[in-house]
Amino acid sequence: MKKILISFFFVFLLMVQPVKAQPLVHLAFLIIPETTTATTNMNMNNTPPPSSSGVIFVDQSKPFTITVDDGYSRPALKKLITLKKQYGASFTCLLFPYGAALKDNEDLFAQLINLGCEVHNHTYHHIYFRHTTAEQQKEEILSTDQVIEHVYKLAKQKRPNIKYFRPPGGFYNLNTIRICKENGYRIMLWNVITEPNGKNLSVDERARYIYSAPKGSIILLHSKERDMDALSKALPVLLKHYGMPAH
């Protein structure tokens, strides 16, 4: 009975305390590593990532995946449109705008969808799921889901069968996992970020993080012009390394 009570106590803590996805892969390699396993973070709370719940940190089915969060900057989105026109299907690009930004920039996101990008969920108000109720989390996710549906209709494209949710800041808990599962979402985090620990890095430093990403990496950028400039510098290096045509 004592063991059962202790186990219940720890499950309860996980439900109310968010799991934090630390910024991962902070090393800027001098050469692109040949490893097939992405380096993950050390969890400062000694809580292992709940891999059994299907949370995604890497995707070994692809050489790399570019993901762009937030979606508030029209100049940055226009730069991404230029890159997709230049490189086409050479790289996978998943967009995680929060709902309010998606609604404000639906015309640009519709263009990006037609250029091969996918739009996924990042809450509606970019709320960190630190001290939110299950009802608040569900409202944030489902409100954005409606906007995503509208933008796909605007683009006259079919929405992908697989839907991803990225919690702002990487904060999530068992409520988040349950709500996502009930509504057909998988949680996607990242293993490479261009702003580790919130550092305000230069374009060249950001580019180095991108092109130094191990194989299978999910690379997190934000809709900032500096990140788009870094991506412009890093893409030719990545594509050449993996022998992918720049079409």
Side-chain angles (χ1 to χ4, degrees):
M1 176 62 71
K2 185 176 180 181
K3 290 182 178 179
I4 294 174
L5 289 174
I6 291 173
S7 298
F8 177 80
F9 175 73
F10 280 109
V11 170
F12 174 77
L13 283 180
L14 182 56
M15 290 182 70
V16 298
Q17 294 296 327
V19 179
K20 176 65 169 69
Q22 304 291 331
L24 316 177
V25 187
H26 295 175
L27 300 176
F29 301 99
L30 294 178
I31 59 173
I32 296 177
E34 294 294 336
T35 178
T36 58
T37 303
T39 306
T40 56
N41 65 303
M42 291 295 293
N43 191 302
M44 300 307 292
N45 297 319
N46 296 318
T47 304
S51 55
S52 60
S53 63
V55 177
I56 302 167
F57 288 88
V58 296
D59 183 356
Q60 294 291 349
S61 70
K62 301 179 180 67
F64 62 93
T65 300
I66 299 297
T67 67
V68 182
D69 282 12
D70 298 348
Y72 52 81
S73 169
R74 290 185 69 84
L77 292 173
K78 288 178 180 178
K79 287 189 174 185
L80 182 57
I81 287 171
T82 299
L83 287 173
K84 282 302 290 183
K85 286 180 177 178
Q86 179 179 355
Y87 291 102
S90 297
F91 68 99
T92 301
C93 183
L94 308 183
L95 309 175
F96 289 89
Y98 57 90
L102 176 58
K103 194 172 182 178
D104 287 343
N105 299 296
E106 60 183 22
D107 57 326
L108 298 182
F109 280 102
Q111 289 185 55
L112 286 163
I113 289 171
N114 282 310
L115 289 169
C117 295
E118 295 181 9
V119 174
H120 295 282
N121 202 314
H122 195 45
T123 73
Y124 193 87
H125 297 101
H126 202 269
I127 291 176
Y128 283 15
F129 286 176
R130 283 173 169 160
H131 305 293
T132 50
T133 65
E135 290 75 17
Q136 288 172 322
Q137 291 189 24
K138 186 175 181 179
E139 175 65 23
E140 284 290 319
I141 293 171
L142 295 188
S143 294
T144 302
D145 192 77
Q146 293 176 2
V147 182
I148 294 172
E149 288 285 353
H150 169 73
V151 173
Y152 268 94
K153 288 179 181 177
L154 184 65
K156 298 180 180 179
Q157 296 290 340
K158 184 180 181 297
R159 188 174 178 184
N161 292 326
I162 299 177
K163 301 191 298 183
Y164 295 113
F165 172 69
R166 173 170 287 164
F171 289 97
Y172 65 96
N173 56 28
L174 288 181
N175 284 329
T176 320
I177 294 170
R178 175 181 56 79
I179 293 165
C180 285
K181 186 175 181 180
E182 290 174 351
N183 291 279
Y185 277 96
R186 297 189 67 189
I187 297 175
M188 176 178 282
L189 298 180
W190 61 88
N191 70 306
V192 175
I193 186 169
T194 55
E195 294 183 338
N197 299 316
K199 292 180 180 178
N200 187 21
L201 302 178
S202 68
V203 169
D204 287 341
E205 289 171 317
R206 291 165 191 258
R208 197 172 185 184
Y209 279 115
I210 297 169
Y211 67 64
S212 300
K215 184 179 180 181
S217 289
I218 296 174
I219 305 169
L220 169 56
L221 293 79
H222 289 87
S223 55
K224 300 178 178 181
E225 290 186 76
R226 190 174 293 186
D227 268 0
M228 296 305 103
D229 292 341
L231 181 60
S232 179
K233 286 193 170 190
L235 273 175
V237 181
L238 276 173
L239 296 176
K240 181 179 180 181
H241 175 69
Y242 290 113
M244 300 166 67
H247 56 67

